[in-house]
């Protein structure tokens, strides 16, 4: 659905916050599947993401739900989210406020996003 919206010229910028929150929470479910099914199936990846100093990048992070899930699943990784949709930062901050402090401490948003 997002691909079709992007192709038609509409996209996340046109969506209200409720839609952004719904999409973000759906991406969180995808993150759990990635962490519990995909990563273990790829040789060596679980070890690399479990190592101190590992980093994960979420491009198009939106409300940061995926960033938070990945930080919960990969306890030694720093998870960085970037997005050009500045209005998603408000809902992202709300998601951060509700998250566990140790998870939030490993979630990052670079300046300017």
């Amino acid at each position: 659905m997002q691909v079709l919206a992007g192709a038609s010229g509409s996209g996340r910028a046109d969506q209200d916050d409720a839609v952004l929150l719904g999409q973000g929470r759906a991406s969180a479910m995808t993150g759990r599947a990635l962490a519990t099914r995909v990563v273990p199936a790829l040789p060596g990846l679980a070890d690399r993401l479990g190592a101190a100093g590992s980093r994960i990048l979420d491009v198009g992070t939106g409300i940061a739900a995926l960033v938070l899930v990945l930080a919960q699943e990969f306890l030694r990784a720093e998870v960085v989210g970037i997005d050009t949709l500045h209005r998603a930062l408000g809902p992202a901050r709300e998601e951060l406020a509700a998250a566990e402090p140790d998870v939030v401490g490993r979630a990052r948003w670079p300046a300017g996003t």
Side-chain angles (χ1 to χ4, degrees):
M1 204 166 161
Q2 288 175 314
V3 171
L4 292 175
S8 69
S10 64
R12 296 182 311 148
D14 298 331
Q15 297 169 343
D16 64 28
D17 286 354
V19 172
L20 288 175
L21 287 168
Q23 288 174 337
R25 292 186 177 133
S27 74
M29 289 187 289
T30 301
R32 291 213 193 286
L34 284 170
T36 60
R37 295 187 179 148
V38 175
V39 169
L42 298 171
L45 186 55
D47 291 336
R48 290 184 73 183
L49 293 176
S54 62
R55 297 180 76 194
I56 301 169
L57 176 63
D58 177 21
V59 178
T61 196
I63 67 161
L66 180 58
V67 167
L68 292 172
V69 165
L70 293 175
Q72 289 170 345
E73 294 291 332
F74 300 102
L75 301 177
R76 300 182 81 189
E78 175 185 18
V79 186
V80 177
I82 59 172
D83 205 312
T84 59
L85 185 61
H86 292 283
R87 74 179 187 81
L89 291 176
R93 286 186 189 103
E94 292 174 18
E95 294 293 305
L96 283 170
E100 298 172 25
D102 65 315
V103 171
V104 173
R106 290 180 291 104
R108 303 276 183 261
W109 282 261
T113 61

